[in-house]
Amino acid sequence: ALRGRGLDVHLFQRSGHVLQPFGEAVADRVEPELTAQGVTVHTATPVEALCGDDRIEAISYDGGRQPVDLAVVGVGITPNTGVVADTDIELGAGGAIATDKFGQTSRPDVYAAGDCATAHHTVTGEDTWMPLGLTANRGGRAIGSTVAGNPEPVGDIAGTAVVKAFDLECGRVGLIDDEAAREAGFEPVRKTITAESRSGYYPGGAETDVTLVADRETGRLLGGAIVGADRAAVRINTLATALNEEMGVAEVERLDLAYAPPFSPVWDPILVAAKVLRGSIQ
Ligand SMILES: Cc1cc2nc3c(=O)[nH]c(=O)nc-3n(C[C@H](O)[C@H](O)[C@H](O)COP(=O)(O)OP(=O)(O)OC[C@H]3O[C@@H](n4cnc5c(N)ncnc54)[C@H](O)[C@@H]3O)c2cc1C
């Protein structure tokens, strides 16, 4: 939006890549896209201070100072649990209100859902805190049903997320970080492939990168990420469904995904990625 208005945009990122939750393979596509669109990307560059008296005039960072007229700050969020601060209701992952699979807190007549509450991770089976819109809506509905006498679980969360960087669409789900996968007791193996989004002869296709991560010992799919300019993001929902069913990579490879030239090649990019990953696990 800012580039569209002709502003000179600088993006400062503390970590080595943008979009860290989406993994390096996605960042490797997004960073050049941002640069090509006129954004100056400063990775591994923590901002030290916002400078100015009456209004912001510059930001300072290690070894530099960038004059600015406007700063948009996005440095993460924490759960707002103030409403239970003076109670004995227990907190859990990420400092959010600890809940069970029905959204019940440690006090039986109090339920919590959404950004203030923990959720159950689809892959690790552990409590986690991932503040996302569907989780909040789904939790609210389920709790309404439960307290009205029809117990309904709030559902697990796999961290399914999509984002757009100019014309590039990105998606991520599950465990795509090796360290997180090891912490959860898995031995992660990963593969990234590049495939066409449509049949090669059909106009409008684009290169789509799919990363899949699986457990070496069991072959279970742990997570995935996707990036591309042609309707790439929603393809992540296939992987979200596979994770929910605890599928192995071989099962993903055998999924009956739709093929017709305007929408997908015969082998959907996700099937190609599963085939390649399975080959490296065997
Ligand atoms: C800019 C932005 C973009 C986002 N985009 C996406 C997206 O694309 N996809 C996605 O999945 N998620 C997205 N999210 C996250 C998503 O919006 C949240 O996960 C979701 O709104 C959480 O719902 P909630 O009901 O838990 O909290 P909220 O929507 O924050 O609602 C909480 C409400 O409680 C009120 N409140 C707080 N304290 C009290 C109190 N003591 N008494 C009474 N009321 C109180 C607040 O005023 C607020 O109205 C985005 C968030 C932001 C900020």
Side-chain angles (χ1 to χ4, degrees):
L2 299 176
R3 280 298 297 142
R5 289 174 178 271
L7 300 190
D8 177 19
V9 179
H10 287 248
L11 176 64
F12 289 86
Q13 178 81 29
R14 184 170 61 175
S15 52
H17 286 288
V18 299
L19 286 181
Q20 210 179 10
F22 288 71
E24 266 187 53
V26 171
D28 284 345
R29 289 280 303 271
V30 169
E31 285 166 15
E33 171 72 6
L34 293 174
T35 304
Q37 298 283 353
V39 176
T40 307
V41 180
H42 307 257
T43 49
T45 311
V47 170
E48 285 169 354
L50 306 178
C51 314
D53 294 325
D54 296 334
R55 53 163 299 151
I56 186 161
E57 290 165 3
I59 63 120
S60 69
Y61 57 96
D62 184 21
R65 183 180 162 91
Q66 176 67 43
V68 297
D69 298 313
L70 164 79
V72 179
V73 182
V75 289
I77 58 171
T78 54
N80 180 354
T81 55
V83 75
V84 300
D86 297 328
T87 73
D88 57 1
I89 290 177
E90 289 170 14
L91 302 183
I97 299 171
T99 56
D100 70 6
K101 67 176 183 171
F102 292 97
Q104 193 176 41
T105 70
S106 57
R107 195 182 279 195
D109 53 353
V110 177
Y111 289 74
D115 285 5
C116 67
T118 63
H120 192 251
H121 197 285
T122 309
V123 181
T124 67
E126 301 288 330
D127 280 349
T128 186
W129 180 63
M130 292 186 182
L132 287 170
L134 174 64
T135 328
N137 278 263
R138 206 176 49 183
R141 285 184 72 92
I143 288 171
S145 176
T146 297
V147 299
N150 299 308
E152 195 179 312
V154 295
D156 295 347
I157 183 166
T160 316
V162 286
V163 72
K164 193 164 170 285
F166 292 94
D167 290 332
L168 271 187
E169 296 185 15
C170 319
R172 60 90 58 217
V173 68
L175 297 180
I176 54 175
D177 176 63
D178 283 352
E179 208 176 304
R182 284 195 196 97
E183 268 172 29
F186 300 109
E187 192 189 336
V189 192
R190 72 176 52 242
K191 281 286 172 196
T192 300
I193 61 94
T194 302
E196 278 297 317
S197 61
R198 309 183 187 193
S199 295
Y201 54 82
Y202 199 93
E207 282 190 346
T208 304
D209 293 353
V210 179
T211 300
L212 292 185
V213 184
D215 179 42
R216 183 182 294 282
E217 195 183 332
T218 62
R220 180 180 169 189
L221 183 71
L222 302 178
I226 191 160
V227 57
D230 181 32
R231 298 170 297 183
V234 290
R235 283 191 149 106
I236 204 70
N237 288 337
T238 303
L239 297 178
T241 308
L243 289 182
N244 203 55
E245 296 306 307
E246 297 189 16
M247 284 186 188
V249 178
E251 289 170 286
V252 175
E253 189 187 334
R254 287 192 293 270
L255 284 174
D256 180 26
L257 301 188
Y259 156 61
F263 308 106
S264 171
V266 178
W267 293 89
D268 185 282
I270 283 177
L271 299 180
V272 177
K275 184 179 284 296
V276 171
L277 180 56
R278 186 158 77 104
S280 73
I281 289 177
Q282 280 175 338

mmCIF file of all heavy atoms in Angstrom, residues 99-148:
data_model
loop_
_atom_site.group_PDB
_atom_site.id
_atom_site.type_symbol
_atom_site.label_atom_id
_atom_site.label_comp_id
_atom_site.label_asym_id
_atom_site.label_seq_id
_atom_site.Cartn_x
_atom_site.Cartn_y
_atom_site.Cartn_z
ATOM 1 N N THR A 99 -6.125 -23.654 28.684
ATOM 2 C CA THR A 99 -7.460 -24.222 28.455
ATOM 3 C C THR A 99 -7.332 -25.686 28.046
ATOM 4 O O THR A 99 -6.297 -26.106 27.528
ATOM 5 C CB THR A 99 -8.195 -23.473 27.326
ATOM 6 O OG1 THR A 99 -7.387 -23.517 26.147
ATOM 7 C CG2 THR A 99 -8.480 -22.032 27.702
ATOM 8 N N ASP A 100 -8.417 -26.446 28.253
ATOM 9 C CA ASP A 100 -8.411 -27.833 27.784
ATOM 10 C C ASP A 100 -9.090 -27.902 26.412
ATOM 11 O O ASP A 100 -9.367 -26.868 25.797
ATOM 12 C CB ASP A 100 -9.071 -28.763 28.814
ATOM 13 C CG ASP A 100 -10.578 -28.546 28.915
ATOM 14 O OD1 ASP A 100 -11.133 -27.760 28.118
ATOM 15 O OD2 ASP A 100 -11.201 -29.164 29.792
ATOM 16 N N LYS A 101 -9.391 -29.113 25.947
ATOM 17 C CA LYS A 101 -9.878 -29.219 24.562
ATOM 18 C C LYS A 101 -11.291 -28.672 24.387
ATOM 19 O O LYS A 101 -11.780 -28.543 23.262
ATOM 20 C CB LYS A 101 -9.782 -30.654 24.060
ATOM 21 C CG LYS A 101 -10.682 -31.649 24.740
ATOM 22 C CD LYS A 101 -10.526 -32.998 24.044
ATOM 23 C CE LYS A 101 -11.492 -33.999 24.660
ATOM 24 N NZ LYS A 101 -11.550 -35.246 23.923
ATOM 25 N N PHE A 102 -11.965 -28.332 25.499
ATOM 26 C CA PHE A 102 -13.278 -27.681 25.393
ATOM 27 C C PHE A 102 -13.194 -26.183 25.695
ATOM 28 O O PHE A 102 -14.216 -25.516 25.800
ATOM 29 C CB PHE A 102 -14.283 -28.350 26.339
ATOM 30 C CG PHE A 102 -14.620 -29.757 25.918
ATOM 31 C CD1 PHE A 102 -13.978 -30.837 26.497
ATOM 32 C CD2 PHE A 102 -15.553 -29.988 24.917
ATOM 33 C CE1 PHE A 102 -14.263 -32.134 26.096
ATOM 34 C CE2 PHE A 102 -15.851 -31.280 24.505
ATOM 35 C CZ PHE A 102 -15.201 -32.359 25.093
ATOM 36 N N GLY A 103 -11.967 -25.669 25.883
ATOM 37 C CA GLY A 103 -11.810 -24.255 26.196
ATOM 38 C C GLY A 103 -12.001 -23.953 27.665
ATOM 39 O O GLY A 103 -12.044 -22.785 28.067
ATOM 40 N N GLN A 104 -12.088 -25.009 28.487
ATOM 41 C CA GLN A 104 -12.298 -24.807 29.919
ATOM 42 C C GLN A 104 -10.976 -24.422 30.584
ATOM 43 O O GLN A 104 -9.936 -25.023 30.302
ATOM 44 C CB GLN A 104 -12.832 -26.097 30.544
ATOM 45 C CG GLN A 104 -13.370 -25.928 31.943
ATOM 46 C CD GLN A 104 -13.968 -27.237 32.462
ATOM 47 O OE1 GLN A 104 -13.405 -28.314 32.240
ATOM 48 N NE2 GLN A 104 -15.100 -27.150 33.123
ATOM 49 N N THR A 105 -11.018 -23.423 31.458
ATOM 50 C CA THR A 105 -9.809 -23.010 32.170
ATOM 51 C C THR A 105 -9.649 -23.855 33.432
ATOM 52 O O THR A 105 -10.443 -24.768 33.689
ATOM 53 C CB THR A 105 -9.888 -21.521 32.562
ATOM 54 O OG1 THR A 105 -10.870 -21.383 33.599
ATOM 55 C CG2 THR A 105 -10.249 -20.649 31.374
ATOM 56 N N SER A 106 -8.636 -23.514 34.242
ATOM 57 C CA SER A 106 -8.417 -24.277 35.478
ATOM 58 C C SER A 106 -9.551 -24.044 36.483
ATOM 59 O O SER A 106 -9.665 -24.754 37.467
ATOM 60 C CB SER A 106 -7.074 -23.896 36.108
ATOM 61 O OG SER A 106 -7.030 -22.507 36.362
ATOM 62 N N ARG A 107 -10.385 -23.044 36.221
ATOM 63 C CA ARG A 107 -11.584 -22.864 37.052
ATOM 64 C C ARG A 107 -12.769 -23.362 36.214
ATOM 65 O O ARG A 107 -13.057 -22.794 35.150
ATOM 66 C CB ARG A 107 -11.756 -21.393 37.428
ATOM 67 C CG ARG A 107 -12.743 -21.212 38.565
ATOM 68 C CD ARG A 107 -12.947 -19.764 38.891
ATOM 69 N NE ARG A 107 -11.884 -19.230 39.737
ATOM 70 C CZ ARG A 107 -11.992 -18.086 40.389
ATOM 71 N NH1 ARG A 107 -13.080 -17.358 40.288
ATOM 72 N NH2 ARG A 107 -11.001 -17.659 41.131
ATOM 73 N N PRO A 108 -13.439 -24.430 36.658
ATOM 74 C CA PRO A 108 -14.385 -25.150 35.794
ATOM 75 C C PRO A 108 -15.507 -24.309 35.197
ATOM 76 O O PRO A 108 -16.013 -24.631 34.123
ATOM 77 C CB PRO A 108 -14.959 -26.225 36.725
ATOM 78 C CG PRO A 108 -13.932 -26.406 37.791
ATOM 79 C CD PRO A 108 -13.272 -25.072 37.968
ATOM 80 N N ASP A 109 -15.905 -23.221 35.859
ATOM 81 C CA ASP A 109 -17.009 -22.429 35.304
ATOM 82 C C ASP A 109 -16.517 -21.242 34.481
ATOM 83 O O ASP A 109 -17.288 -20.338 34.164
ATOM 84 C CB ASP A 109 -17.956 -21.961 36.425
ATOM 85 C CG ASP A 109 -17.205 -21.244 37.539
ATOM 86 O OD1 ASP A 109 -15.955 -21.237 37.482
ATOM 87 O OD2 ASP A 109 -17.854 -20.704 38.443
ATOM 88 N N VAL A 110 -15.236 -21.242 34.133
ATOM 89 C CA VAL A 110 -14.701 -20.163 33.285
ATOM 90 C C VAL A 110 -14.069 -20.776 32.034
ATOM 91 O O VAL A 110 -13.243 -21.690 32.135
ATOM 92 C CB VAL A 110 -13.655 -19.318 34.051
ATOM 93 C CG1 VAL A 110 -13.068 -18.247 33.135
ATOM 94 C CG2 VAL A 110 -14.290 -18.671 35.285
ATOM 95 N N TYR A 111 -14.482 -20.287 30.874
ATOM 96 C CA TYR A 111 -13.946 -20.755 29.593
ATOM 97 C C TYR A 111 -13.223 -19.598 28.901
ATOM 98 O O TYR A 111 -13.547 -18.429 29.137
ATOM 99 C CB TYR A 111 -15.080 -21.263 28.686
ATOM 100 C CG TYR A 111 -15.670 -22.572 29.158
ATOM 101 C CD1 TYR A 111 -16.503 -22.621 30.278
ATOM 102 C CD2 TYR A 111 -15.388 -23.762 28.500
ATOM 103 C CE1 TYR A 111 -17.035 -23.821 30.726
ATOM 104 C CE2 TYR A 111 -15.922 -24.968 28.933
ATOM 105 C CZ TYR A 111 -16.736 -24.992 30.042
ATOM 106 O OH TYR A 111 -17.253 -26.183 30.476
ATOM 107 N N ALA A 112 -12.272 -19.925 28.048
ATOM 108 C CA ALA A 112 -11.544 -18.875 27.321
ATOM 109 C C ALA A 112 -11.256 -19.351 25.902
ATOM 110 O O ALA A 112 -10.990 -20.531 25.669
ATOM 111 C CB ALA A 112 -10.234 -18.542 28.036
ATOM 112 N N ALA A 113 -11.322 -18.420 24.949
ATOM 113 C CA ALA A 113 -11.014 -18.744 23.551
ATOM 114 C C ALA A 113 -10.383 -17.534 22.889
ATOM 115 O O ALA A 113 -10.535 -16.406 23.357
ATOM 116 C CB ALA A 113 -12.296 -19.125 22.808
ATOM 117 N N GLY A 114 -9.673 -17.774 21.803
ATOM 118 C CA GLY A 114 -9.123 -16.670 21.012
ATOM 119 C C GLY A 114 -7.721 -16.288 21.435
ATOM 120 O O GLY A 114 -6.975 -17.093 22.005
ATOM 121 N N ASP A 115 -7.369 -15.040 21.168
ATOM 122 C CA ASP A 115 -5.992 -14.580 21.367
ATOM 123 C C ASP A 115 -5.513 -14.680 22.812
ATOM 124 O O ASP A 115 -4.313 -14.678 23.072
ATOM 125 C CB ASP A 115 -5.860 -13.113 20.921
ATOM 126 C CG ASP A 115 -5.844 -12.968 19.409
ATOM 127 O OD1 ASP A 115 -6.032 -13.983 18.715
ATOM 128 O OD2 ASP A 115 -5.639 -11.836 18.934
ATOM 129 N N CYS A 116 -6.436 -14.743 23.768
ATOM 130 C CA CYS A 116 -6.026 -14.775 25.178
ATOM 131 C C CYS A 116 -5.792 -16.205 25.672
ATOM 132 O O CYS A 116 -5.349 -16.394 26.802
ATOM 133 C CB CYS A 116 -7.073 -14.088 26.055
ATOM 134 S SG CYS A 116 -8.629 -14.996 26.115
ATOM 135 N N ALA A 117 -6.094 -17.210 24.836
ATOM 136 C CA ALA A 117 -6.131 -18.595 25.336
ATOM 137 C C ALA A 117 -5.135 -19.504 24.617
ATOM 138 O O ALA A 117 -4.765 -19.262 23.464
ATOM 139 C CB ALA A 117 -7.541 -19.156 25.165
ATOM 140 N N THR A 118 -4.732 -20.566 25.303
ATOM 141 C CA THR A 118 -3.885 -21.570 24.657
ATOM 142 C C THR A 118 -4.740 -22.451 23.739
ATOM 143 O O THR A 118 -5.966 -22.447 23.815
ATOM 144 C CB THR A 118 -3.212 -22.495 25.695
ATOM 145 O OG1 THR A 118 -4.230 -23.218 26.393
ATOM 146 C CG2 THR A 118 -2.357 -21.708 26.670
ATOM 147 N N ALA A 119 -4.063 -23.195 22.885
ATOM 148 C CA ALA A 119 -4.745 -24.168 22.028
ATOM 149 C C ALA A 119 -3.880 -25.422 21.970
ATOM 150 O O ALA A 119 -2.733 -25.423 22.414
ATOM 151 C CB ALA A 119 -4.959 -23.589 20.639
ATOM 152 N N HIS A 120 -4.435 -26.471 21.386
ATOM 153 C CA HIS A 120 -3.757 -27.762 21.312
ATOM 154 C C HIS A 120 -3.157 -27.902 19.918
ATOM 155 O O HIS A 120 -3.858 -27.749 18.917
ATOM 156 C CB HIS A 120 -4.808 -28.853 21.571
ATOM 157 C CG HIS A 120 -4.245 -30.192 21.801
ATOM 158 N ND1 HIS A 120 -4.365 -31.211 20.887
ATOM 159 C CD2 HIS A 120 -3.554 -30.699 22.840
ATOM 160 C CE1 HIS A 120 -3.769 -32.289 21.363
ATOM 161 N NE2 HIS A 120 -3.272 -32.007 22.545
ATOM 162 N N HIS A 121 -1.837 -28.171 19.837
ATOM 163 C CA HIS A 121 -1.168 -28.206 18.531
ATOM 164 C C HIS A 121 -1.430 -29.524 17.804
ATOM 165 O O HIS A 121 -1.240 -30.605 18.362
ATOM 166 C CB HIS A 121 0.339 -27.993 18.705
ATOM 167 C CG HIS A 121 1.037 -27.620 17.440
ATOM 168 N ND1 HIS A 121 1.304 -28.522 16.447
ATOM 169 C CD2 HIS A 121 1.499 -26.422 16.996
ATOM 170 C CE1 HIS A 121 1.919 -27.907 15.444
ATOM 171 N NE2 HIS A 121 2.045 -26.626 15.757
ATOM 172 N N THR A 122 -1.843 -29.419 16.555
ATOM 173 C CA THR A 122 -2.183 -30.583 15.740
ATOM 174 C C THR A 122 -1.031 -31.583 15.625
ATOM 175 O O THR A 122 -1.247 -32.795 15.638
ATOM 176 C CB THR A 122 -2.540 -30.113 14.306
ATOM 177 O OG1 THR A 122 -3.507 -29.077 14.394
ATOM 178 C CG2 THR A 122 -3.075 -31.238 13.455
ATOM 179 N N VAL A 123 0.192 -31.089 15.496
ATOM 180 C CA VAL A 123 1.326 -31.977 15.220
ATOM 181 C C VAL A 123 2.028 -32.416 16.501
ATOM 182 O O VAL A 123 2.298 -33.603 16.695
ATOM 183 C CB VAL A 123 2.341 -31.298 14.273
ATOM 184 C CG1 VAL A 123 3.508 -32.240 13.976
ATOM 185 C CG2 VAL A 123 1.656 -30.866 12.986
ATOM 186 N N THR A 124 2.304 -31.468 17.400
ATOM 187 C CA THR A 124 3.076 -31.821 18.599
ATOM 188 C C THR A 124 2.195 -32.435 19.681
ATOM 189 O O THR A 124 2.685 -33.135 20.558
ATOM 190 C CB THR A 124 3.762 -30.585 19.209
ATOM 191 O OG1 THR A 124 2.749 -29.709 19.718
ATOM 192 C CG2 THR A 124 4.607 -29.850 18.186
ATOM 193 N N GLY A 125 0.902 -32.141 19.646
ATOM 194 C CA GLY A 125 0.003 -32.603 20.695
ATOM 195 C C GLY A 125 0.146 -31.793 21.973
ATOM 196 O O GLY A 125 -0.507 -32.073 22.977
ATOM 197 N N GLU A 126 1.011 -30.770 21.939
ATOM 198 C CA GLU A 126 1.257 -29.950 23.132
ATOM 199 C C GLU A 126 0.373 -28.705 23.108
ATOM 200 O O GLU A 126 -0.138 -28.304 22.057
ATOM 201 C CB GLU A 126 2.726 -29.491 23.155
ATOM 202 C CG GLU A 126 3.742 -30.612 23.165
ATOM 203 C CD GLU A 126 3.780 -31.339 24.499
ATOM 204 O OE1 GLU A 126 3.499 -30.696 25.522
ATOM 205 O OE2 GLU A 126 4.065 -32.551 24.498
ATOM 206 N N ASP A 127 0.261 -28.068 24.290
ATOM 207 C CA ASP A 127 -0.397 -26.771 24.339
ATOM 208 C C ASP A 127 0.487 -25.751 23.639
ATOM 209 O O ASP A 127 1.716 -25.815 23.716
ATOM 210 C CB ASP A 127 -0.624 -26.339 25.789
ATOM 211 C CG ASP A 127 -1.853 -27.021 26.367
ATOM 212 O OD1 ASP A 127 -2.603 -27.638 25.582
ATOM 213 O OD2 ASP A 127 -2.052 -26.946 27.580
ATOM 214 N N THR A 128 -0.152 -24.811 22.966
ATOM 215 C CA THR A 128 0.596 -23.797 22.242
ATOM 216 C C THR A 128 -0.194 -22.500 22.269
ATOM 217 O O THR A 128 -1.351 -22.481 22.702
ATOM 218 C CB THR A 128 0.853 -24.253 20.782
ATOM 219 O OG1 THR A 128 1.709 -23.317 20.140
ATOM 220 C CG2 THR A 128 -0.445 -24.362 19.993
ATOM 221 N N TRP A 129 0.428 -21.423 21.826
ATOM 222 C CA TRP A 129 -0.296 -20.154 21.717
ATOM 223 C C TRP A 129 -0.067 -19.589 20.325
ATOM 224 O O TRP A 129 1.045 -19.226 19.975
ATOM 225 C CB TRP A 129 0.185 -19.150 22.766
ATOM 226 C CG TRP A 129 -0.545 -17.850 22.653
ATOM 227 C CD1 TRP A 129 -1.883 -17.650 22.838
ATOM 228 C CD2 TRP A 129 0.011 -16.584 22.294
ATOM 229 N NE1 TRP A 129 -2.199 -16.332 22.614
ATOM 230 C CE2 TRP A 129 -1.055 -15.650 22.288
ATOM 231 C CE3 TRP A 129 1.286 -16.141 21.982
ATOM 232 C CZ2 TRP A 129 -0.869 -14.306 21.976
ATOM 233 C CZ3 TRP A 129 1.472 -14.800 21.674
ATOM 234 C CH2 TRP A 129 0.402 -13.902 21.681
ATOM 235 N N MET A 130 -1.116 -19.605 19.512
ATOM 236 C CA MET A 130 -1.037 -19.089 18.141
ATOM 237 C C MET A 130 -2.274 -18.249 17.886
ATOM 238 O O MET A 130 -3.329 -18.778 17.548
ATOM 239 C CB MET A 130 -0.999 -20.246 17.145
ATOM 240 C CG MET A 130 0.254 -21.057 17.195
ATOM 241 S SD MET A 130 0.210 -22.261 15.861
ATOM 242 C CE MET A 130 1.727 -23.113 16.165
ATOM 243 N N PRO A 131 -2.175 -16.950 18.066
ATOM 244 C CA PRO A 131 -3.356 -16.096 17.933
ATOM 245 C C PRO A 131 -3.767 -15.895 16.483
ATOM 246 O O PRO A 131 -3.167 -15.100 15.769
ATOM 247 C CB PRO A 131 -2.907 -14.783 18.578
ATOM 248 C CG PRO A 131 -1.425 -14.769 18.422
ATOM 249 C CD PRO A 131 -0.965 -16.184 18.406
ATOM 250 N N LEU A 132 -4.792 -16.609 16.037
ATOM 251 C CA LEU A 132 -5.277 -16.490 14.658
ATOM 252 C C LEU A 132 -6.803 -16.427 14.643
ATOM 253 O O LEU A 132 -7.471 -16.883 15.578
ATOM 254 C CB LEU A 132 -4.782 -17.670 13.816
ATOM 255 C CG LEU A 132 -3.283 -17.629 13.453
ATOM 256 C CD1 LEU A 132 -2.840 -18.942 12.850
ATOM 257 C CD2 LEU A 132 -2.973 -16.474 12.507
ATOM 258 N N GLY A 133 -7.329 -15.886 13.550
ATOM 259 C CA GLY A 133 -8.749 -15.558 13.478
ATOM 260 C C GLY A 133 -9.693 -16.745 13.548
ATOM 261 O O GLY A 133 -10.700 -16.710 14.264
ATOM 262 N N LEU A 134 -9.396 -17.816 12.799
ATOM 263 C CA LEU A 134 -10.316 -18.956 12.802
ATOM 264 C C LEU A 134 -10.362 -19.610 14.181
ATOM 265 O O LEU A 134 -11.432 -19.994 14.663
ATOM 266 C CB LEU A 134 -9.911 -19.989 11.743
ATOM 267 C CG LEU A 134 -10.741 -21.278 11.767
ATOM 268 C CD1 LEU A 134 -12.203 -20.997 11.435
ATOM 269 C CD2 LEU A 134 -10.166 -22.318 10.815
ATOM 270 N N THR A 135 -9.175 -19.730 14.809
ATOM 271 C CA THR A 135 -9.111 -20.344 16.141
ATOM 272 C C THR A 135 -10.046 -19.625 17.101
ATOM 273 O O THR A 135 -10.760 -20.257 17.895
ATOM 274 C CB THR A 135 -7.679 -20.233 16.715
ATOM 275 O OG1 THR A 135 -6.763 -20.291 15.646
ATOM 276 C CG2 THR A 135 -7.410 -21.303 17.734
ATOM 277 N N ALA A 136 -10.044 -18.291 17.031
ATOM 278 C CA ALA A 136 -10.876 -17.494 17.934
ATOM 279 C C ALA A 136 -12.360 -17.726 17.649
ATOM 280 O O ALA A 136 -13.157 -17.980 18.563
ATOM 281 C CB ALA A 136 -10.531 -16.013 17.779
ATOM 282 N N ASN A 137 -12.725 -17.676 16.367
ATOM 283 C CA ASN A 137 -14.138 -17.854 15.999
ATOM 284 C C ASN A 137 -14.634 -19.257 16.334
ATOM 285 O O ASN A 137 -15.714 -19.441 16.897
ATOM 286 C CB ASN A 137 -14.318 -17.596 14.497
ATOM 287 C CG ASN A 137 -14.423 -16.116 14.187
ATOM 288 O OD1 ASN A 137 -15.507 -15.592 14.060
ATOM 289 N ND2 ASN A 137 -13.297 -15.435 14.103
ATOM 290 N N ARG A 138 -13.808 -20.245 15.981
ATOM 291 C CA ARG A 138 -14.191 -21.641 16.205
ATOM 292 C C ARG A 138 -14.331 -21.925 17.693
ATOM 293 O O ARG A 138 -15.272 -22.581 18.135
ATOM 294 C CB ARG A 138 -13.097 -22.523 15.586
ATOM 295 C CG ARG A 138 -13.509 -23.880 15.152
ATOM 296 C CD ARG A 138 -12.353 -24.590 14.477
ATOM 297 N NE ARG A 138 -11.122 -24.525 15.262
ATOM 298 C CZ ARG A 138 -9.956 -25.018 14.863
ATOM 299 N NH1 ARG A 138 -9.859 -25.588 13.685
ATOM 300 N NH2 ARG A 138 -8.890 -24.935 15.624
ATOM 301 N N GLY A 139 -13.367 -21.388 18.475
ATOM 302 C CA GLY A 139 -13.402 -21.596 19.919
ATOM 303 C C GLY A 139 -14.651 -20.993 20.537
ATOM 304 O O GLY A 139 -15.302 -21.598 21.392
ATOM 305 N N GLY A 140 -14.992 -19.780 20.091
ATOM 306 C CA GLY A 140 -16.176 -19.113 20.638
ATOM 307 C C GLY A 140 -17.442 -19.911 20.375
ATOM 308 O O GLY A 140 -18.286 -20.090 21.272
ATOM 309 N N ARG A 141 -17.573 -20.410 19.151
ATOM 310 C CA ARG A 141 -18.771 -21.203 18.805
ATOM 311 C C ARG A 141 -18.832 -22.478 19.635
ATOM 312 O O ARG A 141 -19.884 -22.852 20.155
ATOM 313 C CB ARG A 141 -18.754 -21.581 17.323
ATOM 314 C CG ARG A 141 -19.096 -20.456 16.390
ATOM 315 C CD ARG A 141 -19.147 -20.965 14.960
ATOM 316 N NE ARG A 141 -20.317 -21.802 14.736
ATOM 317 C CZ ARG A 141 -21.477 -21.348 14.294
ATOM 318 N NH1 ARG A 141 -21.621 -20.071 14.033
ATOM 319 N NH2 ARG A 141 -22.496 -22.166 14.104
ATOM 320 N N ALA A 142 -17.682 -23.175 19.725
ATOM 321 C CA ALA A 142 -17.663 -24.456 20.436
ATOM 322 C C ALA A 142 -17.996 -24.257 21.915
ATOM 323 O O ALA A 142 -18.768 -25.025 22.499
ATOM 324 C CB ALA A 142 -16.297 -25.120 20.278
ATOM 325 N N ILE A 143 -17.424 -23.219 22.513
ATOM 326 C CA ILE A 143 -17.680 -22.969 23.934
ATOM 327 C C ILE A 143 -19.158 -22.625 24.152
ATOM 328 O O ILE A 143 -19.785 -23.079 25.117
ATOM 329 C CB ILE A 143 -16.748 -21.858 24.466
ATOM 330 C CG1 ILE A 143 -15.323 -22.400 24.558
ATOM 331 C CG2 ILE A 143 -17.218 -21.347 25.829
ATOM 332 C CD1 ILE A 143 -14.269 -21.347 24.854
ATOM 333 N N GLY A 144 -19.721 -21.855 23.228
ATOM 334 C CA GLY A 144 -21.149 -21.550 23.328
ATOM 335 C C GLY A 144 -21.971 -22.823 23.368
ATOM 336 O O GLY A 144 -22.906 -22.971 24.170
ATOM 337 N N SER A 145 -21.610 -23.768 22.497
ATOM 338 C CA SER A 145 -22.335 -25.030 22.448
ATOM 339 C C SER A 145 -22.123 -25.826 23.740
ATOM 340 O O SER A 145 -23.065 -26.382 24.308
ATOM 341 C CB SER A 145 -21.850 -25.835 21.231
ATOM 342 O OG SER A 145 -22.461 -27.092 21.201
ATOM 343 N N THR A 146 -20.872 -25.832 24.215
ATOM 344 C CA THR A 146 -20.545 -26.614 25.417
ATOM 345 C C THR A 146 -21.308 -26.101 26.638
ATOM 346 O O THR A 146 -21.924 -26.882 27.366
ATOM 347 C CB THR A 146 -19.022 -26.570 25.677
ATOM 348 O OG1 THR A 146 -18.360 -27.183 24.573
ATOM 349 C CG2 THR A 146 -18.655 -27.304 26.964
ATOM 350 N N VAL A 147 -21.267 -24.785 26.838
ATOM 351 C CA VAL A 147 -21.918 -24.262 28.050
ATOM 352 C C VAL A 147 -23.436 -24.354 27.942
ATOM 353 O O VAL A 147 -24.145 -24.304 28.944
ATOM 354 C CB VAL A 147 -21.474 -22.810 28.378
ATOM 355 C CG1 VAL A 147 -19.977 -22.750 28.621
ATOM 356 C CG2 VAL A 147 -21.894 -21.838 27.292
ATOM 357 N N ALA A 148 -23.940 -24.525 26.697
ATOM 358 C CA ALA A 148 -25.390 -24.701 26.525
ATOM 359 C C ALA A 148 -25.793 -26.167 26.669
ATOM 360 O O ALA A 148 -26.954 -26.512 26.471
ATOM 361 C CB ALA A 148 -25.820 -24.169 25.162
#
